[in-house]
Short mmCIF file of all heavy atoms in Angstrom, two decimals:
data_model
loop_
_atom_site.label_atom_id
_atom_site.label_comp_id
_atom_site.label_asym_id
_atom_site.label_seq_id
_atom_site.Cartn_x
_atom_site.Cartn_y
_atom_site.Cartn_z
N GLU A 1 11.07 2.93 8.33
CA GLU A 1 9.76 2.96 7.70
C GLU A 1 9.30 1.52 7.48
O GLU A 1 10.01 0.72 6.89
CB GLU A 1 9.84 3.70 6.37
CG GLU A 1 8.50 3.81 5.69
CD GLU A 1 8.57 4.60 4.39
OE1 GLU A 1 9.52 5.40 4.23
OE2 GLU A 1 7.69 4.42 3.56
N LEU A 2 8.12 1.20 7.98
CA LEU A 2 7.61 -0.16 7.85
C LEU A 2 6.90 -0.39 6.52
O LEU A 2 7.04 -1.44 5.92
CB LEU A 2 6.67 -0.47 9.01
CG LEU A 2 7.28 -0.40 10.41
CD1 LEU A 2 6.22 -0.67 11.46
CD2 LEU A 2 8.44 -1.37 10.54
N ALA A 3 6.09 0.56 6.11
CA ALA A 3 5.33 0.38 4.87
C ALA A 3 5.13 1.73 4.21
O ALA A 3 4.88 2.71 4.90
CB ALA A 3 3.98 -0.26 5.17
N PRO A 4 5.27 1.85 2.97
CA PRO A 4 5.57 0.78 2.01
C PRO A 4 7.04 0.40 1.98
O PRO A 4 7.42 -0.52 1.27
CB PRO A 4 5.13 1.36 0.68
CG PRO A 4 5.25 2.83 0.83
CD PRO A 4 4.98 3.11 2.28
N GLY A 5 7.86 1.04 2.74
CA GLY A 5 9.28 0.69 2.80
C GLY A 5 10.14 1.73 2.11
O GLY A 5 9.66 2.53 1.33
N PRO A 6 11.42 1.71 2.41
CA PRO A 6 12.32 2.73 1.87
C PRO A 6 12.51 2.65 0.36
O PRO A 6 12.92 3.62 -0.25
CB PRO A 6 13.64 2.47 2.60
CG PRO A 6 13.56 1.05 3.06
CD PRO A 6 12.10 0.78 3.31
N ILE A 7 12.19 1.50 -0.25
CA ILE A 7 12.37 1.39 -1.70
C ILE A 7 11.23 2.02 -2.48
O ILE A 7 11.34 2.21 -3.68
CB ILE A 7 12.54 -0.09 -2.13
CG1 ILE A 7 11.31 -0.90 -1.77
CG2 ILE A 7 13.81 -0.68 -1.54
CD1 ILE A 7 11.28 -2.27 -2.40
N ALA A 8 10.13 2.34 -1.79
CA ALA A 8 8.97 2.91 -2.48
C ALA A 8 9.10 4.42 -2.57
O ALA A 8 8.47 5.16 -1.84
CB ALA A 8 7.69 2.51 -1.76
N ASN A 9 9.95 4.88 -3.46
CA ASN A 9 10.15 6.30 -3.64
C ASN A 9 9.37 6.86 -4.82
O ASN A 9 9.33 8.06 -5.01
CB ASN A 9 11.64 6.62 -3.82
CG ASN A 9 12.41 6.32 -2.54
OD1 ASN A 9 11.89 6.53 -1.44
ND2 ASN A 9 13.61 5.83 -2.68
N GLU A 10 8.76 5.99 -5.60
CA GLU A 10 8.01 6.44 -6.76
C GLU A 10 6.54 6.15 -6.55
O GLU A 10 6.17 5.19 -5.85
CB GLU A 10 8.50 5.71 -8.01
CG GLU A 10 9.95 6.04 -8.35
CD GLU A 10 10.41 5.32 -9.60
OE1 GLU A 10 9.57 4.72 -10.30
OE2 GLU A 10 11.62 5.34 -9.86
N GLN A 11 5.70 6.94 -7.15
CA GLN A 11 4.26 6.78 -7.00
C GLN A 11 3.80 5.39 -7.41
O GLN A 11 2.93 4.80 -6.78
CB GLN A 11 3.50 7.85 -7.81
CG GLN A 11 2.01 7.88 -7.53
CD GLN A 11 1.68 8.21 -6.08
OE1 GLN A 11 2.25 9.12 -5.49
NE2 GLN A 11 0.78 7.45 -5.49
N ALA A 12 4.38 4.82 -8.46
CA ALA A 12 3.99 3.48 -8.91
C ALA A 12 4.22 2.43 -7.82
O ALA A 12 3.39 1.55 -7.61
CB ALA A 12 4.74 3.11 -10.18
N ALA A 13 5.33 2.54 -7.10
CA ALA A 13 5.63 1.60 -6.02
C ALA A 13 4.65 1.78 -4.86
O ALA A 13 4.21 0.80 -4.25
CB ALA A 13 7.06 1.78 -5.54
N ILE A 14 4.31 3.00 -4.57
CA ILE A 14 3.34 3.28 -3.51
C ILE A 14 1.97 2.74 -3.91
O ILE A 14 1.29 2.08 -3.11
CB ILE A 14 3.28 4.79 -3.20
CG1 ILE A 14 4.62 5.23 -2.60
CG2 ILE A 14 2.12 5.12 -2.26
CD1 ILE A 14 4.79 6.73 -2.50
N ASP A 15 1.56 2.97 -5.15
CA ASP A 15 0.27 2.44 -5.64
C ASP A 15 0.24 0.92 -5.56
O ASP A 15 -0.76 0.33 -5.16
CB ASP A 15 0.02 2.89 -7.08
CG ASP A 15 -0.24 4.39 -7.20
OD1 ASP A 15 -0.45 5.05 -6.16
OD2 ASP A 15 -0.23 4.89 -8.35
N GLU A 16 1.34 0.28 -5.94
CA GLU A 16 1.41 -1.19 -5.90
C GLU A 16 1.28 -1.69 -4.46
O GLU A 16 0.58 -2.67 -4.20
CB GLU A 16 2.74 -1.65 -6.49
CG GLU A 16 2.89 -3.16 -6.54
CD GLU A 16 4.21 -3.57 -7.16
OE1 GLU A 16 4.73 -2.86 -8.03
OE2 GLU A 16 4.71 -4.64 -6.74
N ASP A 17 1.91 -1.01 -3.51
CA ASP A 17 1.81 -1.40 -2.11
C ASP A 17 0.38 -1.27 -1.61
O ASP A 17 -0.12 -2.15 -0.91
CB ASP A 17 2.75 -0.55 -1.26
CG ASP A 17 2.67 -0.93 0.20
OD1 ASP A 17 3.09 -2.06 0.54
OD2 ASP A 17 2.15 -0.13 0.99
N ILE A 18 -0.27 -0.20 -1.97
CA ILE A 18 -1.66 0.01 -1.54
C ILE A 18 -2.54 -1.10 -2.09
O ILE A 18 -3.37 -1.68 -1.38
CB ILE A 18 -2.17 1.39 -1.97
CG1 ILE A 18 -1.45 2.48 -1.17
CG2 ILE A 18 -3.68 1.50 -1.82
CD1 ILE A 18 -1.67 3.88 -1.67
N ARG A 19 -2.39 -1.41 -3.37
CA ARG A 19 -3.21 -2.47 -3.98
C ARG A 19 -2.94 -3.84 -3.32
O ARG A 19 -3.84 -4.66 -3.18
CB ARG A 19 -2.94 -2.54 -5.47
CG ARG A 19 -3.59 -1.43 -6.23
CD ARG A 19 -3.46 -1.60 -7.74
NE ARG A 19 -3.99 -0.43 -8.42
CZ ARG A 19 -3.27 0.61 -8.81
NH1 ARG A 19 -1.97 0.63 -8.61
NH2 ARG A 19 -3.83 1.64 -9.39
N ALA A 20 -1.71 -4.09 -2.94
CA ALA A 20 -1.35 -5.38 -2.35
C ALA A 20 -1.88 -5.54 -0.92
O ALA A 20 -2.21 -6.64 -0.50
CB ALA A 20 0.17 -5.54 -2.35
N ARG A 21 -2.00 -4.43 -0.17
CA ARG A 21 -2.36 -4.53 1.24
C ARG A 21 -3.74 -4.02 1.58
O ARG A 21 -4.21 -4.18 2.71
CB ARG A 21 -1.32 -3.81 2.10
CG ARG A 21 0.04 -4.46 2.03
CD ARG A 21 1.08 -3.84 2.96
NE ARG A 21 1.22 -2.41 2.85
CZ ARG A 21 0.87 -1.54 3.82
NH1 ARG A 21 0.41 -1.96 4.95
NH2 ARG A 21 1.02 -0.26 3.63
N ALA A 22 -4.43 -3.40 0.64
CA ALA A 22 -5.73 -2.82 0.93
C ALA A 22 -6.77 -3.90 1.19
O ALA A 22 -6.78 -4.94 0.54
CB ALA A 22 -6.18 -1.92 -0.21
N GLU A 23 -7.62 -3.68 2.17
CA GLU A 23 -8.71 -4.59 2.51
C GLU A 23 -9.96 -3.77 2.79
O GLU A 23 -9.88 -2.59 3.09
CB GLU A 23 -8.37 -5.38 3.77
CG GLU A 23 -7.17 -6.28 3.64
CD GLU A 23 -6.90 -7.04 4.93
OE1 GLU A 23 -7.86 -7.34 5.66
OE2 GLU A 23 -5.73 -7.31 5.20
N THR A 24 -11.10 -4.42 2.72
CA THR A 24 -12.33 -3.75 3.08
C THR A 24 -12.66 -4.09 4.53
O THR A 24 -12.28 -5.15 5.02
CB THR A 24 -13.50 -4.17 2.19
OG1 THR A 24 -13.68 -5.59 2.33
CG2 THR A 24 -13.24 -3.83 0.74
N PHE A 25 -13.32 -3.22 5.19
CA PHE A 25 -13.74 -3.43 6.57
C PHE A 25 -15.23 -3.17 6.72
O PHE A 25 -15.68 -2.64 7.71
CB PHE A 25 -12.93 -2.53 7.52
CG PHE A 25 -11.51 -2.96 7.62
CD1 PHE A 25 -10.53 -2.36 6.85
CD2 PHE A 25 -11.14 -3.98 8.47
CE1 PHE A 25 -9.22 -2.76 6.93
CE2 PHE A 25 -9.82 -4.39 8.56
CZ PHE A 25 -8.86 -3.78 7.79
N PHE A 26 -15.98 -3.53 5.69
CA PHE A 26 -17.42 -3.33 5.76
C PHE A 26 -18.03 -4.44 6.61
O PHE A 26 -17.42 -5.46 6.87
CB PHE A 26 -18.03 -3.30 4.36
CG PHE A 26 -17.87 -4.59 3.58
CD1 PHE A 26 -18.85 -5.56 3.63
CD2 PHE A 26 -16.74 -4.82 2.82
CE1 PHE A 26 -18.72 -6.74 2.94
CE2 PHE A 26 -16.60 -6.00 2.11
CZ PHE A 26 -17.58 -6.97 2.18
N HIS A 27 -19.24 -4.22 7.04
CA HIS A 27 -19.96 -5.20 7.84
C HIS A 27 -21.03 -5.84 6.96
O HIS A 27 -22.04 -5.20 6.67
CB HIS A 27 -20.62 -4.52 9.04
CG HIS A 27 -19.66 -3.81 9.93
ND1 HIS A 27 -18.81 -4.50 10.76
CD2 HIS A 27 -19.39 -2.51 10.12
CE1 HIS A 27 -18.07 -3.64 11.42
NE2 HIS A 27 -18.39 -2.43 11.05
#
C-alpha cells in the first residue's frame, strides 16, 4: 500500500494523510 500506508489503520491517521496531501485542481 503506497498511501496512506500500512500504519494508517485509524480514521485519524487517514484524515491526517488526506489533509497533508490534498490539493486543489481548479483553473
Side-chain angles (χ1 to χ4, degrees):
E1 182 177 338
L2 299 178
I7 61 168
N9 293 325
E10 296 181 10
Q11 189 62 45
I14 294 169
D15 291 348
E16 182 179 329
D17 180 67
I18 290 169
R19 285 187 186 94
R21 295 185 308 113
E23 297 180 32
T24 60
F25 290 96
F26 63 92
H27 301 287

